[in-house]
């Protein structure tokens, strides 16, 4: 009792009465307590704070001495203690009467122990809730086991289609399911069995359904019936399918069918805490896995907002009922509001954030704060309030062992409650209570409320509603659209008509159509404020057509006006962003947090973010892992694009961030592929220069990724190398030779990168730069690669090698590759031959890729464009690297030009011109990419700059 100075005098008489009664019964039983002042002081507190403990000990003094002598009052139980104790005790139960008596005797003893430890501060809240839940689990499980065996003797063993025995599954709901049981709580139970069938090997055969129904009724009676010895736990089964009118026990198929067809949002809410507490736990786990898609949708379920608001409204209305203000569970700022706060986020986001599929509310709140769904101070206030309210709840219930949540009205009981909570007066206790409940209620009332949303809805005038609903003629609608800022109203009317009459729109459910009717006027209003409202509307209508069947996304935009604002802003700036969102609607969630929307994470943050994301996915769910990788890549690409179009990132940094994303993904893909193959085949033997290396595998990036110049739609040019020793076998369950291991590793990496999932695919990849191109083996041995580059590679392959860099894999092999690259590129080149081969390859590429148009300059492929600059720089590096090895340090074009200047291969004027032209051309091509257009401009736009680049090309590349 950290706050309490001493026991109030008003409670002294109560203790004397209880103590005298206890002493009389102790003398009769010839029992004496330890002569220990500290113990007697503790006993005094417990007796005062709990009539239940005092009466139980007075009726049975031997029980108290047993608790003292065993040391159970002072020691914390291990997780299996209750199972052991109850199993041992129930071994004596020969019939139902004995079973009931033993259970109630155990219940009294253990509840006295739990109350004692709680009231004296020996146990914290977590231990108290855990002990109560574990005790309930053990009582139900061992009672079920005894009753099942007895019933099998009478009716035979229930069996499934495979003739194997079936057992009952008991699902704990509510606080029992969450390991959060309170002192005098009901236990909310749902019963199930795996499949229909009949009992076998008994004197009388009955259906599985009848068998388990009888068993359920027996359990409820044995556990819940009030006898002269009390009860074990009151049992509530009203959360089952169809409620009180439904069957007490159902098969898996029947339950799954019910929740698929008739499951309601409040049932999803209830199943968040579901846990198998007794019976066939393995089968119960399978049932929960079957029902998981019902509980947690694998997308952001903003469509649940309406139902959650209704639930919240009911809670608020109930609070207004007489007497609720004094109720610490159901009153304003009470326990229920805290639980609702956490579970709202679980329903909406639990499908895409598996960490939120957690039963304990305290842990849920911490996860939500860690994931920045609300500030840490909100989490702290809710957690502090939860602990205070739950402790108060236990103190109230421990006094009489009654299920109450109402603050006492009697002055003595009030002082008793305050003292049991460690306060010197009820007034001080109430001040703390009010502080916590006020904090909770403020956060609860803010939940699901968007004043901004209401304002937006008010702003979306009746006129825009009428235009969307087709309630006004075209002339009147056109004038209103002109007034709103649209420049081509007839085009807007046509677009809206097309959307309204689209087959998908007409097929929407009533709720879906209601949401669409609410969203479109908001969209019209928001778009009217941007520079190109007509073009932007066209893009967003295309997006709406894509997402309207998943009406939860419509709800997301309705419920989060700021998300709609950013969607319109970004769609106006770039159709690429709209296309990205249309292809992957799950990314709409990224629009909700403006703190991160326009701030792409650094590379180390990307790594941490992805690791955390994949930690929440089972290692055996490869498809789901790939799906999460896709969402990660797309979400971070969206952040880069958002920062790009709003001017927060310069061009070079855009390419850096896109390259970081690709490298992070590739690193994780290699890990996934490696771990899978090692688990199956063992670890391959890898040698470099006669020494063992760890993984002996490396991914080499060529092209744009190699040059850190990745664009939004760029393919990845990759080469895989390994250091496996020829002929050696891996040491796993299914050993294979090293070459085969690395071939499979490469295939698996390619599969993961290109596999199509519900979230799209990761990257298009090009492996044609490997030795011997498409006809070569997928993963080359490093020495074979080195030999090929030295003896067989074409000049264009050495050009490609200039931009190659190792991006993930074995650190020793990366170092070895860097040495091979350097050795190959340092080989002296014949100037005339090199110039001819580079020029010939450039012309060949131009013929293949350039489609000339009169009066048009193709920024990439035309003469004086991007590719000419790249080829020129590559030629100069290849020609001069033997004299100046420092030319090989960088793989990107801009820094290579700088190196050519520093080594005096080209003068400052030429270098500045090349760099200036290259950056301008790339910036323009990049803008066209954001607009999803080919990089073409009128030929006079960069005429002088092109001429200068062409002149430099002639100086270096044409025969003199």
């Amino acid at each position: 009792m950290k706050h309490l100075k001493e026991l109030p005098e008003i409670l002294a008489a109560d203790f004397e009465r209880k103590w005298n009664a206890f002493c009389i019964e102790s003398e009769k039983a010839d029992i004496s307590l330890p002569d220990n002042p500290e113990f007697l002081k503790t006993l005094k507190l417990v007796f005062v704070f709990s009539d239940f403990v005092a009466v139980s000990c007075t009726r049975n003094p031997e029980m108290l001495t047993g608790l003292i002598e065993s040391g159970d009052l002072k020691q914390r139980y291990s997780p299996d203690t209750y199972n052991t104790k109850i199993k041992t005790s129930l071994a004596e139960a020969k019939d139902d009467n004995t079973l009931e008596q033993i259970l109630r005797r155990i219940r009294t003893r253990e509840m006295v122990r739990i109350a004692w430890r709680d009231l004296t501060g020996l146990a914290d809240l977590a231990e108290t809730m855990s002990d109560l839940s574990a005790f309930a689990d053990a009582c139900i499980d061992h009672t079920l086991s005894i009753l099942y065996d007895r019933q099998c003797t009478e009716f035979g063993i229930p069996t499934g289609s495979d003739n194997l025995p079936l057992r009952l599954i008991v699902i704990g709901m509510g606080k029992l399911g969450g390991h959060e049981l309170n002192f005098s709580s009901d236990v909310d139970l749902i019963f199930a069995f795996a499949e229909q069938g009949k009992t076998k090997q008994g004197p009388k055969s009955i259906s599985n359904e009848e068998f388990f129904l009888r068993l359920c009724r027996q359990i409820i009676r044995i556990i819940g019936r009030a006898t002269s010895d009390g009860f074990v736990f009151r049992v509530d089964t009203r959360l089952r399918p169809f409620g009180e009118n439904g069957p007490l026990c159902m098969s898996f198929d029947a339950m799954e069918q019910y929740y698929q067809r008739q499951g309601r949002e409040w049932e999803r809410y209830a199943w968040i805490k579901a846990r198998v507490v007794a019976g066939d736990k393995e089968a119960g786990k399978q049932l929960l896995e079957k029902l998981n898609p019902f509980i947690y949708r694998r997308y952001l379920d903003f469509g649940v907002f309406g139902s959650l608001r209704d639930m919240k409204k009911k809670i608020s209305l109930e609070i207004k009922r007489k007497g609720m203000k004094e109720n610490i569970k159901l009153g304003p700022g009470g326990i229920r509001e805290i639980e609702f706060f956490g579970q709202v986020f679980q329903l909406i986001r639990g499908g895409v954030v598996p960490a939120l599929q957690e039963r304990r509310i305290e842990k849920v709140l911490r996860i939500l704060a860690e994931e920045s769904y609300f500030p840490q101070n909100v989490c702290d206030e809710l957690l502090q309030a939860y602990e205070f309210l739950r402790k108060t709840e236990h103190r109230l219930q421990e006094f009489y062992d009654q299920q109450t949540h109402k603050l006492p009205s009697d002055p003595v009981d009030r002082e008793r409650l305050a003292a049991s909570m460690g306060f010197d007066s009820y007034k001080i206790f109430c001040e703390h209570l009010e502080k916590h409940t006020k904090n909770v209620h403020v956060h609860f009332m803010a939940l699901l409320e968007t004043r901004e949303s209401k304002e937006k809805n008010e702003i979306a005038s009746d006129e825009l509603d009428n235009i969307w609903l087709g309630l006004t003629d075209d002339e009147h609608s056109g004038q209103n659209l002109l007034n709103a800022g649209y420049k081509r109203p007839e085009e807007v009317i046509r677009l809206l008509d097309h959307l309204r009459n689209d087959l998908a729109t007409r097929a929407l459910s009533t709720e879906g159509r209601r949401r669409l009717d609410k969203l479109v006027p908001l969209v019209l209003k928001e778009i009217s404020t941007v520079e190109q409202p007509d073009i932007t509307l066209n893009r967003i209508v295309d997006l709406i057509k894509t997402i309207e069947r998943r009406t939860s996304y419509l709800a997301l935009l309705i419920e989060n006006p700021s998300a709609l604002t950013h969607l319109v802003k970004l769609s106006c700036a770039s159709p690429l962003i709209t296309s990205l969102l249309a292809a992957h609607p799950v990314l709409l969630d990224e629009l909700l947090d403006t703190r991160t929307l326009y701030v792409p994470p650094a590379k180390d943050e990307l790594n941490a973010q992805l690791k955390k994301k994949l930690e929440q996915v089972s290692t055996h769910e490869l498809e789901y892992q790939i799906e999460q990788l896709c969402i990660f890549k797309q979400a971070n690409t969206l952040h880069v694009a958002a920062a790009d179009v709003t001017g927060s990132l310069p061009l070079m940094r855009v390419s850096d961030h896109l390259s970081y994303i690709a490298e992070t993904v590739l690193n994780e893909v290699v890990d996934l592929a490696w771990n899978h193959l090692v688990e199956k085949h063992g670890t391959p033997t890898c040698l470099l220069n006669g020494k063992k290396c760890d993984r002996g595998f490396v991914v080499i990036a060529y092209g744009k990724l190699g040059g850190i110049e990745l664009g939004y739609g760029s393919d990845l040019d990759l080469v895989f190398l390994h250091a496996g020793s020829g002929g050696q076998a891996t040491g796993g369950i299914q050993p294979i030779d090293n070459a085969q291991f690395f071939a499979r590793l490469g295939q698996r990496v390619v599969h993961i990168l290109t596999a199509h999932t519900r979230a799209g695919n990761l990257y298009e990849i090009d492996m044609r730069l490997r030795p011997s191109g498409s006809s070569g083996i997928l993963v080359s041995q490093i020495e074979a690669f080195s030999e090929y580059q030295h003896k067989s590679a074409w000049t264009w392959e050495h050009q490609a090698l200039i931009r190659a860099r190792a991006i993930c894999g074995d650190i020793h092999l990366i170092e070895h590759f860097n040495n091979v690259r350097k050795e190959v590129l340092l080989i002296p080149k014949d100037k005339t031959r090199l110039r001819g081969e580079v020029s010939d390859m450039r012309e060949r590429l131009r013929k293949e890729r350039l489609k000339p148009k009169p009066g048009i300059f193709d920024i990439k492929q035309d003469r004086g464009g991007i590719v000419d600059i790249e080829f020129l720089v590559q030629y100069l590096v290849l020609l001069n690297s033997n004299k100046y090895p420092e030319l090989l340090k960088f793989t990107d074009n801009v820094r290579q030009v700088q190196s050519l200047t520093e080594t005096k291969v080209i003068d400052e004027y030429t270098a500045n011109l090349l760099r200036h032209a290259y950056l301008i051309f790339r910036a323009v091509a990049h803008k066209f990419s954001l607009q999803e257009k080919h990089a073409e401009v009128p030929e006079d736009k960069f005429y002088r700059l092109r001429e200068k680049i062409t002149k430099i090309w002639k100086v270096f590349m044409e025969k003199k």
Side-chain angles (χ1 to χ4, degrees):
M1 302 297 149
K2 59 182 180 180
H3 301 294
L4 190 66
K5 294 173 184 173
E6 58 183 30
L7 196 65
E9 288 185 19
I10 196 171
L11 301 177
D14 182 54
F15 171 70
E16 289 302 324
R17 176 181 58 79
K18 292 174 181 175
W19 176 246
N20 290 335
F22 175 76
C23 288
I24 291 168
E25 295 304 318
S26 296
E27 285 178 17
K28 288 180 185 177
D30 195 23
I31 284 171
S32 58
L33 295 178
D35 187 16
N36 182 325
E38 192 61 37
F39 171 79
L40 293 175
K41 183 180 177 183
T42 301
L43 182 140
K44 179 179 182 180
L45 285 176
V46 175
F47 273 24
V48 168
F49 295 154
S50 175
D51 262 15
F52 162 70
V53 173
V55 169
S56 298
C57 292
T58 301
R59 286 178 181 171
N60 186 2
E62 293 94 336
M63 178 191 68
L64 179 58
T65 56
L67 282 166
I68 296 166
E69 290 167 3
S70 65
D72 284 353
L73 288 178
K74 290 188 175 181
Q75 67 182 350
R76 187 182 188 124
Y77 278 0
S78 70
D80 289 327
T81 301
Y82 283 120
N83 272 320
T84 305
K85 282 179 174 287
I86 292 171
K87 186 177 182 180
T88 304
S89 299
L90 294 186
E92 305 170 13
K94 306 302 180 187
D95 54 39
D96 286 0
N97 286 336
T98 314
L99 179 59
E100 285 186 343
Q101 289 169 6
I102 294 171
L103 280 168
R104 282 152 181 77
R105 187 176 70 238
I106 296 170
R107 193 255 182 198
T108 301
R109 180 189 193 274
E110 296 306 325
M111 295 300 268
V112 165
R113 173 191 169 273
I114 290 169
W116 185 292
R117 288 180 58 75
D118 180 48
L119 291 166
T120 57
L122 290 171
D124 59 13
L125 176 64
E127 181 188 326
T128 301
M129 294 190 297
S130 178
D131 274 3
L132 288 164
S133 303
F135 176 65
D137 286 2
C139 287
I140 297 165
D141 195 31
H142 291 291
T143 301
L144 168 60
S145 183
I146 290 169
L147 295 175
Y148 175 83
D149 290 344
R150 288 181 188 171
Q151 198 162 287
C152 285
T153 303
E154 186 177 356
F155 296 110
I157 301 169
T159 55
S161 54
D162 54 6
N163 290 319
L164 292 175
L166 298 180
R167 294 177 61 209
L168 186 68
I169 291 95
V170 185
I171 308 290
M173 308 291 282
K175 289 194 166 54
L176 176 60
H179 288 285
E180 299 164 336
L181 208 61
N182 57 49
F183 192 80
S184 294
S185 179
D186 293 352
V187 288
D188 294 294
L189 303 179
I190 292 178
F191 301 104
F193 60 97
E195 59 180 304
Q196 299 285 359
K198 288 198 167 188
T199 60
K200 296 181 180 179
Q201 302 175 23
K204 180 183 176 183
S205 179
I206 59 175
S207 70
N208 289 350
E209 188 170 12
E210 185 181 349
F211 180 96
F212 289 119
L213 186 58
R214 286 171 177 261
L215 186 56
C216 292
R217 285 173 179 156
Q218 281 187 289
I219 293 166
I220 293 169
R221 179 175 58 81
I222 296 293
I223 297 287
R225 187 166 74 95
T227 70
S228 57
D229 297 314
F231 57 88
V232 186
F233 287 99
R234 290 173 293 266
V235 179
D236 191 334
T237 61
R238 290 174 296 175
L239 290 175
R240 68 186 188 268
F242 303 105
E244 290 178 290
N245 299 318
L248 197 55
C249 188
M250 291 174 73
S251 69
F252 285 8
D253 285 346
M255 289 187 79
E256 196 173 5
Q257 193 174 67
Y258 168 82
Y259 288 115
Q260 282 178 352
R261 294 181 180 179
Q262 301 183 52
R264 289 154 291 179
E265 298 302 341
W266 71 261
E267 288 176 296
R268 288 180 60 202
Y269 184 88
W271 274 87
I272 283 173
K273 286 188 177 289
R275 177 174 63 88
V276 185
V277 298
D280 190 338
K281 294 187 177 179
E282 194 56 42
K285 184 181 175 184
Q286 292 169 16
L287 174 63
L288 290 181
E289 286 172 358
K290 284 186 175 186
L291 296 181
N292 192 267
F294 162 71
I295 308 164
Y296 298 107
R297 310 282 160 79
R298 275 200 170 178
Y299 53 84
L300 286 162
D301 192 7
F302 283 92
V304 78
F305 262 111
S307 299
L308 290 171
R309 271 211 190 86
D310 289 343
M311 291 162 95
K312 182 186 169 190
K313 190 175 180 181
K314 286 176 184 175
I315 292 171
S316 297
L317 288 172
E318 193 174 344
I319 285 171
K320 292 177 182 177
R321 282 168 42 191
K322 188 176 179 181
M324 281 297 168
K325 193 172 185 300
E326 300 293 306
N327 191 306
I328 61 164
K329 177 183 178 182
L330 305 178
I335 295 165
R336 181 171 59 176
E337 289 188 0
I338 300 172
E339 292 172 333
F340 185 82
F341 193 96
Q343 286 174 276
V344 161
F345 286 94
Q346 287 182 279
L347 280 188
I348 295 169
R349 298 178 175 276
V352 293
V353 185
L356 288 175
Q357 295 179 22
E358 164 63 47
R359 299 179 182 97
R360 289 161 293 185
I361 187 62
E362 290 173 290
K363 192 167 181 183
V364 169
L365 294 172
R366 288 191 180 97
I367 292 167
L368 288 166
E370 286 167 11
E371 298 289 336
S372 300
Y373 291 119
F374 48 70
Q376 185 62 47
N377 70 296
V378 173
C379 175
D380 294 340
E381 287 177 0
L382 291 172
L383 287 173
Q384 289 162 14
Y386 183 76
E387 182 169 0
F388 187 89
L389 291 167
R390 288 303 307 270
K391 281 185 175 179
T392 302
E393 175 187 49
H394 286 149
R395 302 298 194 271
L396 288 170
Q397 295 181 356
E398 285 162 353
F399 184 64
Y400 287 122
D401 189 19
Q402 290 180 355
Q403 191 181 27
T404 181
H405 295 90
K406 194 172 181 182
L407 294 173
S409 55
D410 179 77
V412 176
D413 288 342
R414 286 184 165 187
E415 292 304 324
R416 187 194 328 274
L417 172 61
S420 70
M421 286 292 289
F423 295 101
D424 291 326
S425 72
Y426 187 69
K427 181 175 179 289
I428 298 172
F429 163 77
C430 285
E431 287 169 0
H432 282 77
L433 176 64
E434 186 177 7
K435 180 191 78 170
H436 289 303
T437 54
K438 272 188 175 178
N439 286 340
V440 171
H441 197 56
V442 165
H443 299 314
F444 173 77
M445 292 308 291
L447 196 63
L448 304 175
E449 287 296 321
T450 56
R451 189 184 344 155
E452 188 183 1
S453 175
K454 290 176 183 174
E455 290 171 357
K456 289 273 184 181
N457 278 286
E458 289 165 8
I459 291 169
S461 66
D462 291 339
E463 292 294 346
L464 294 177
D465 279 321
N466 293 338
I467 291 170
W468 161 241
L469 296 172
L471 299 178
T472 57
D473 60 58
D474 286 357
E475 184 179 348
H476 188 66
S477 295
Q479 188 57 51
N480 283 320
L481 287 167
L482 275 172
N483 295 340
Y486 289 92
K487 297 176 176 59
R488 298 199 301 273
E490 67 286 346
E491 179 66 16
V492 173
I493 293 168
R494 187 192 64 77
L495 264 175
L496 296 176
D497 284 343
H498 192 265
L499 175 60
R500 193 186 304 113
N501 296 309
D502 188 76
L503 288 175
T505 303
R506 294 169 71 177
L508 285 174
S509 64
T510 304
E511 178 61 20
R513 185 59 196 239
R514 186 187 69 77
R515 288 177 185 168
L516 184 65
D517 289 346
K518 194 172 183 180
L519 175 64
V520 174
L522 297 175
V523 168
L524 289 171
K525 183 65 183 177
E526 191 65 54
I527 289 176
S528 69
T529 63
V530 300
E531 286 182 18
Q532 299 176 302
D534 307 270
I535 294 171
T536 306
L537 179 63
N538 196 55
R539 293 170 186 169
I540 295 212
V541 164
D542 286 342
L543 173 64
I544 289 174
K545 286 179 185 175
T546 305
I547 67 172
E548 64 181 344
R549 297 294 286 273
R550 296 278 286 275
T551 59
S552 62
Y553 291 126
L554 304 181
L556 182 154
L557 294 172
I558 294 166
E559 298 292 344
N560 298 277
S562 63
L564 179 58
T565 300
H566 291 291
L567 170 63
V568 169
K569 175 183 175 182
L570 295 173
S571 295
C572 178
S574 169
L576 180 141
I577 292 178
T578 320
S579 298
L580 187 64
L581 291 167
H584 313 292
V586 70
L587 300 184
L588 288 167
D589 182 47
E590 301 297 319
L591 304 177
L592 299 178
D593 192 349
T594 53
R595 293 170 302 172
T596 59
L597 178 58
Y598 301 101
V599 186
K603 191 173 181 182
D604 57 344
E605 292 175 301
L606 284 170
N607 282 318
Q609 187 186 107
L610 184 55
K611 291 287 183 191
K612 189 174 182 180
K613 194 176 189 75
L614 289 179
E615 278 171 6
Q616 300 168 1
V617 182
S618 167
T619 54
H620 300 294
E621 289 188 271
L622 180 61
E623 184 178 350
Y624 193 40
Q625 287 175 317
I626 300 173
E627 197 174 302
Q628 292 303 304
L629 280 167
C630 289
I631 293 170
F632 167 83
K633 177 234 176 174
Q634 293 147 5
N636 282 290
T637 301
L638 176 64
H639 292 310
V640 174
D644 185 3
V645 299
T646 53
S648 303
L649 275 184
L651 170 64
M652 300 288 281
R653 294 294 295 147
V654 168
S655 293
D656 287 350
H657 279 285
L658 292 174
S659 299
Y660 296 158
I661 294 166
E663 290 170 33
T664 303
V665 168
L666 275 164
N667 197 57
E668 194 60 47
V669 166
V670 170
D671 278 353
L672 289 176
W674 175 271
N675 292 337
H676 168 80
L677 287 170
V678 166
E679 186 179 341
K680 189 174 182 181
H681 302 298
T683 306
T685 303
C686 303
L687 296 174
L688 271 177
N689 302 320
K691 295 181 181 179
K692 281 191 176 182
C693 53
D694 297 331
R695 284 197 176 178
F697 181 79
V698 69
V699 177
I700 311 299
Y702 282 69
K704 293 208 173 343
L705 180 56
I708 322 174
E709 295 168 352
L710 211 60
Y712 291 108
S714 299
D715 294 351
L716 304 186
D717 294 294
L718 304 177
V719 168
F720 301 150
L721 302 176
H722 76 87
S725 305
Q728 295 279 344
T730 56
I733 302 167
Q734 301 175 34
I736 54 176
D737 67 56
N738 287 327
Q740 193 177 2
F741 178 94
F742 286 110
R744 290 189 183 181
L745 179 60
Q747 289 164 359
R748 194 165 181 84
V749 169
V750 169
H751 165 70
I752 294 172
L753 288 171
T754 59
H756 284 274
T757 71
R758 290 177 300 180
N761 69 305
L762 285 167
Y763 289 97
E764 297 298 326
I765 64 170
D766 191 336
M767 304 290 296
R768 290 174 297 177
L769 286 172
R770 67 185 188 267
S772 302
S774 300
S775 60
I777 58 174
L778 187 63
V779 187
S780 300
Q781 211 279 342
I782 182 65
E783 299 306 338
F785 173 82
S786 175
E787 186 175 1
Y788 176 85
Q789 290 290 342
H790 277 91
K791 297 180 180 179
S792 307
W794 296 81
T795 296
W796 64 265
E797 290 178 286
H798 286 172
Q799 282 182 251
L801 195 60
I802 288 173
R803 290 164 66 82
R805 65 189 177 94
I807 53 172
C808 65
D810 188 302
I811 189 167
H812 302 296
L813 187 52
I814 288 173
E815 186 179 340
H816 195 70
F817 164 77
N818 290 336
N819 291 334
V820 169
R821 173 180 176 270
K822 190 173 181 180
E823 287 170 10
V824 170
L825 296 177
L826 287 177
I827 297 171
K829 305 292 189 298
D830 178 80
K831 182 176 182 180
T832 304
R833 182 180 173 186
L834 178 65
R835 184 173 58 207
E837 288 176 346
V838 172
S839 295
D840 290 346
M841 177 54 70
R842 177 66 195 105
E843 289 308 311
R844 180 178 162 188
L845 278 180
R846 202 187 317 274
K847 285 178 184 177
E848 287 177 3
R849 299 180 183 179
L850 177 64
K851 296 176 182 176
K853 296 178 185 176
I856 295 297
F857 170 48
D858 184 313
I859 286 177
K860 290 184 179 179
Q861 296 296 342
D862 253 323
R863 295 188 187 282
I866 288 174
V867 181
D868 275 5
I869 297 172
E870 290 174 342
F871 266 65
L872 177 59
V873 171
Q874 289 161 19
Y875 163 74
L876 293 172
V877 170
L878 276 176
L879 181 64
N880 294 282
S881 55
N882 179 254
K883 287 189 289 184
Y884 306 111
E886 58 266 41
L887 292 175
L888 304 177
K889 182 178 180 181
F890 301 112
T891 59
D892 62 286
N893 203 69
V894 171
R895 286 186 294 182
Q896 285 171 351
V897 170
Q898 182 62 33
S899 297
L900 288 168
T901 316
E902 290 169 357
T903 53
K904 309 296 184 186
V905 172
I906 57 176
D907 57 47
E908 285 282 355
Y909 172 79
T910 302
N912 287 336
L913 194 56
L914 289 173
R915 186 166 47 241
H916 176 66
Y918 186 72
L919 290 174
I920 284 179
F921 290 158
R922 270 197 66 200
V924 172
H926 186 69
K927 285 181 180 177
F928 276 101
S929 174
L930 286 169
Q931 298 301 318
E932 297 186 318
K933 294 179 181 177
H934 194 66
E936 297 174 336
V937 296
E939 64 177 357
D940 60 348
K941 181 160 188 180
F942 297 113
Y943 181 78
R944 289 185 180 178
L945 193 56
R946 285 177 59 201
E947 285 294 303
K948 290 177 181 178
I949 298 301
T950 304
K951 187 177 179 181
I952 294 172
W953 175 274
K954 288 177 180 178
V955 168
F956 287 102
M957 301 301 295
E958 291 190 0
K959 294 178 183 178
K960 298 173 180 157

